[in-house]
Amino acid sequence: MSLSPRQIDEAEQRTLYSFDNEHDACGVGLVLNLYGEKSHEIVEKGLQVLENMVHRGAESADNKTGDGAGILVQIPHEFILLQGIPVPAKGRYGTGLVFLPKDENKATLCLNVIRENIEKEGLNLLAVRDVPANSEILGQISASNEPLIKQLFVTGGANQSELEHKLYIVRKKIEGAIAKSNLAKERSFYIVTLSTRQMVYKGMLTSLQLREYYPDLSDSNFTSGIALVHSRFSTNTFPTWDLAQPFRMLGHNGEINTIRGNRFWMEARESVLKSDLLGDLKELMPVVQPGMSDSASLDNVLEFLVMSGKSLPHAMAMLVPESWNSKNPISDNLKAFYEYHSIFMEPWDGPATLLFSDGRYAGGMLDRNGLRPARYLITHDDLMIIASETGTIPIEAPRIKEKGRLKPGKMIMIDTERGEIYYDRELKEGLAKAFPYKEWLDKNRISLEEISSGRSVKTECPDYEKKLTAFGYSTEDIERLMIPMAEAGQEPVSSMGNDVALSVFSSKPQRLFNYFRQQFAQVTNPPID
């Protein structure tokens, strides 16, 4: 059964349980025309992929409240013109949905904050459209949290690139302003997207409800060359409208085992971040929006890297690197690329399929372990499908030109303007040779093995046995832990199970570090993949 944000807060206050300990597994799909030819057929096929993965999304006991479903599409310019919105030429305006409080006064307050920040950035809020929504199909729980949904239209900027960056800046400033108000506690405000290239329709819906809830998606004039869909199985955070996927650039099927450390490290490095494209970053912080899911946090960082000037594959390779140890047969240049970036970006590790798009480029990749498979198919008439499983759309065999699967740590990307498919080797070698990473490492890296203090250390230890007892070391600690580390220079390998009494409950004296345990994630998802 799904809970409201207020019920979640109350439950956490009454108990020692934290909903941060939950994990997830979802379904993702990507449908596109290789040459970016926009049509309603692409949107329709994207919705079909979503609906055929209904088993990957969870529902409440009422069979009407879903954990979340959504679709990312290119901005349907012709459809918008037919709505009577006097928008300028394609690329000279930005648009996106925004979730607002149902209370009229609070909604007005939010819109005033939006308008004020847009004008401060030298932009113009051209229009605000009421987005049609079929609320009658919602279950009781999703209906109780349903937001008021508006579509914003913003103009300004010298060109599309400048406007795209300004829209990112203004959105972050709006989020910061709202976060300081009382509305932040209610979780009733959220900017779904604000871009010149793409937009997202999503909500606390089932996979089958998305097209019915948003009538826009069924209009024959609603066209796109890309459709990225997501069906949510919400277990790492409880369902809310804003946590439905896709996010602004990413659809994520899986979990991030290292999420707490990733968030802390991003917060820790904010004081040293710089960007010529984004200017003063103080008003854009934090990079990671608080209170969101692990997937949303990853999307925040991906978007920040891309807006700061990184290419989409560069940012993805930084965030989710493949294994670059001696056992992986990749080039020395690529290993140097990964080692260089590991210095200032920790991997967002965990079993995952990641589908991504910035409105022109679209693609997918797997984490280094490949525990969330993704399969792709290309037809002779330039249709491409990537999804969590095969059969999401029935395709007759004679139409199939190529099919395959993504391998652990590997990536595929399509440029829909040029109609070109970039496979992993081409993408990664291009990244590896863009800069002399190996040379930079050789010149600037300091190895601990090369550092010598010049002192000699005596190995004799008088009263050895007494000191072991005095300092709390056992024979097992020496034989199983210390000696293997000294001889091989590696961490000892053992099972995850530990039946030793917790130090805090032990009647015997304990060393200080026995009171601490290394935190790790144990994947417990059912083997649906």
Side-chain angles (χ1 to χ4, degrees):
M1 179 178 177
S2 302
L3 302 179
S4 69
R6 179 178 295 177
Q7 289 172 316
I8 292 173
D9 291 340
E10 292 175 351
E12 288 189 323
Q13 290 171 5
R14 290 195 305 268
T15 69
L16 294 176
Y17 179 74
S18 171
F19 289 94
D20 290 339
N21 296 326
E22 298 287 349
H23 302 283
D24 65 351
C26 317
V28 286
L30 174 65
V31 181
L32 57 86
N33 180 281
L34 293 179
Y35 291 90
E37 293 180 6
K38 299 176 70 173
S39 67
H40 184 66
E41 181 186 10
I42 295 294
V43 179
E44 176 63 29
K45 288 189 180 300
L47 292 171
Q48 289 176 19
V49 169
L50 178 66
E51 291 161 355
N52 288 333
M53 291 194 297
V54 65
H55 55 283
R56 287 183 172 268
E59 298 177 8
S60 180
D62 61 8
N63 293 325
K64 288 185 176 181
T65 298
D67 278 2
I71 184 170
L72 179 152
V73 295
Q74 293 172 322
I75 293 176
H77 184 64
E78 295 78 8
F79 170 80
I80 289 170
L81 288 172
L82 291 172
Q83 306 311 305
I85 309 296
V87 291
K90 179 182 177 181
R92 295 303 305 276
Y93 73 95
T95 186
L97 303 192
V98 58
F99 293 161
L100 298 169
K102 279 290 185 72
D103 182 274
E104 185 176 347
N105 291 331
K106 293 178 180 178
T108 300
L109 174 63
C110 290
L111 287 172
N112 288 338
V113 172
I114 290 172
R115 182 176 287 104
E116 179 183 344
N117 281 276
I118 286 175
E119 291 175 353
K120 282 183 179 179
E121 205 59 38
L123 304 177
N124 174 47
L125 182 59
L126 179 68
V128 179
R129 172 183 176 242
D130 294 326
V131 178
N134 181 10
S135 302
E136 295 180 1
I137 69 169
L138 298 178
Q140 181 179 356
I141 300 171
S142 55
S144 66
N145 300 312
E146 183 189 18
L148 178 66
I149 305 175
K150 302 279 189 179
Q151 184 175 5
L152 307 178
F153 295 90
V154 182
T155 58
N159 51 53
Q160 182 176 6
S161 178
E162 180 182 315
L163 179 55
E164 185 73 17
H165 282 85
K166 284 195 171 187
L167 291 175
Y168 173 75
I169 291 170
V170 78
R171 197 199 80 225
K172 295 293 290 184
K173 290 182 177 180
I174 292 169
E175 289 172 353
I178 294 295
K180 296 175 183 176
S181 70
N182 293 329
L183 292 171
K185 300 178 181 178
E186 300 178 12
R187 199 168 194 142
S188 55
F189 175 83
Y190 180 75
I191 299 178
V192 181
T193 52
L194 193 56
S195 170
T196 63
R197 300 188 180 100
Q198 58 192 33
M199 59 187 300
V200 172
Y201 284 77
K202 70 176 186 177
M204 196 171 162
L205 308 164
T206 68
S207 298
L208 300 177
Q209 287 176 336
L210 183 66
R211 74 161 76 228
E212 194 174 353
Y213 183 77
Y214 288 109
D216 285 0
L217 299 174
S218 299
D219 193 301
S220 60
N221 295 301
F222 192 101
T223 62
S224 176
I226 297 171
L228 196 164
V229 296
H230 189 281
S231 175
R232 189 165 190 248
F233 194 102
S234 168
T235 47
N236 71 334
T237 48
F238 273 63
T240 59
W241 282 77
D242 55 344
L243 292 183
Q245 295 192 49
F247 290 107
R248 292 155 188 136
M249 300 188 78
L250 189 70
H252 180 257
N253 166 27
E255 55 193 313
I256 301 171
N257 296 339
T258 56
I259 186 60
R260 186 178 299 180
N262 292 126
R263 287 169 174 159
F264 283 158
W265 274 114
M266 282 307 303
E267 183 179 0
R269 67 168 59 94
E270 284 177 357
S271 62
V272 297
L273 292 175
K274 294 181 181 179
S275 172
D276 294 334
L277 288 173
L278 298 178
D280 185 6
L281 297 179
K282 291 181 181 179
E283 294 181 307
L284 309 186
M285 298 301 160
V287 172
V288 176
Q289 189 174 359
M292 303 296 283
S293 65
D294 54 356
S295 303
S297 298
L298 175 59
D299 182 79
N300 287 160
V301 181
L302 172 62
E303 187 183 27
F304 175 79
L305 292 175
V306 171
M307 288 297 170
S308 299
K310 295 283 187 293
S311 69
L312 195 49
H314 190 159
M316 292 300 300
M318 283 177 61
L319 293 168
V320 190
E322 63 182 308
S323 175
W324 45 277
N325 59 29
S326 58
K327 296 181 181 180
N328 190 12
I330 59 177
S331 69
D332 290 340
N333 287 333
L334 185 53
K335 289 180 180 179
F337 169 87
Y338 285 127
E339 184 175 359
Y340 174 82
H341 287 92
S342 70
I343 298 170
F344 50 86
M345 176 57 70
E346 61 289 336
W348 292 65
D349 269 341
T353 291
L354 304 105
L355 300 185
F356 51 85
S357 177
D358 65 357
R360 171 181 173 177
Y361 298 97
M365 71 177 299
L366 294 191
D367 72 289
R368 67 180 73 184
N369 294 310
L371 298 177
R372 293 285 185 274
R375 293 172 171 83
Y376 67 86
L377 179 150
I378 304 171
T379 68
H380 288 286
D381 53 350
D382 303 322
L383 179 71
M384 184 170 186
I385 304 164
I386 309 175
S388 299
E389 57 196 58
T390 57
T392 50
I393 294 181
I395 301 290
E396 297 176 356
R399 283 186 63 192
I400 300 174
K401 179 181 179 181
E402 178 187 340
K403 58 182 179 180
R405 67 180 179 90
L406 292 178
K407 297 180 180 179
K410 304 304 181 182
M411 187 188 312
I412 190 170
M413 190 180 74
I414 301 89
D415 181 350
T416 60
E417 283 192 8
R418 296 184 177 181
E420 296 179 353
I421 303 174
Y422 302 102
Y423 294 92
D424 185 81
R425 183 182 295 274
E426 182 181 1
L427 283 170
K428 299 288 180 62
E429 286 304 316
L431 293 174
K433 294 178 180 178
F435 295 98
Y437 295 110
K438 193 172 187 304
E439 181 182 336
W440 290 350
L441 288 171
D442 292 340
K443 287 184 177 180
N444 299 288
R445 178 180 49 192
I446 298 175
S447 175
L448 294 178
E449 296 176 355
E450 300 172 358
I451 299 177
S452 174
S453 65
R455 296 181 300 170
S456 61
V457 179
K458 296 180 180 180
T459 57
E460 298 82 8
C461 182
D463 300 324
Y464 174 72
E465 297 293 340
K466 292 181 180 179
K467 288 182 179 178
L468 282 183
T469 304
F471 286 96
Y473 285 91
S474 66
T475 304
E476 183 181 15
D477 291 331
I478 300 300
E479 294 179 352
R480 298 290 182 88
L481 301 179
M482 308 299 286
I483 292 178
M485 291 173 69
E487 290 180 344
Q490 296 179 344
E491 292 282 351
V493 178
S494 60
S495 66
M496 292 186 292
N498 190 333
D499 59 359
V500 177
L502 294 176
S503 299
V504 69
F505 295 133
S506 176
S507 59
K508 297 181 179 180
Q510 299 287 332
R511 287 171 289 145
L512 176 63
F513 19 92
N514 280 0
Y515 288 87
F516 299 91
R517 297 284 183 190
Q518 181 179 359
Q519 187 176 21
F520 71 97
Q522 181 177 352
V523 179
T524 57
N525 293 356
I528 189 172
D529 290 328

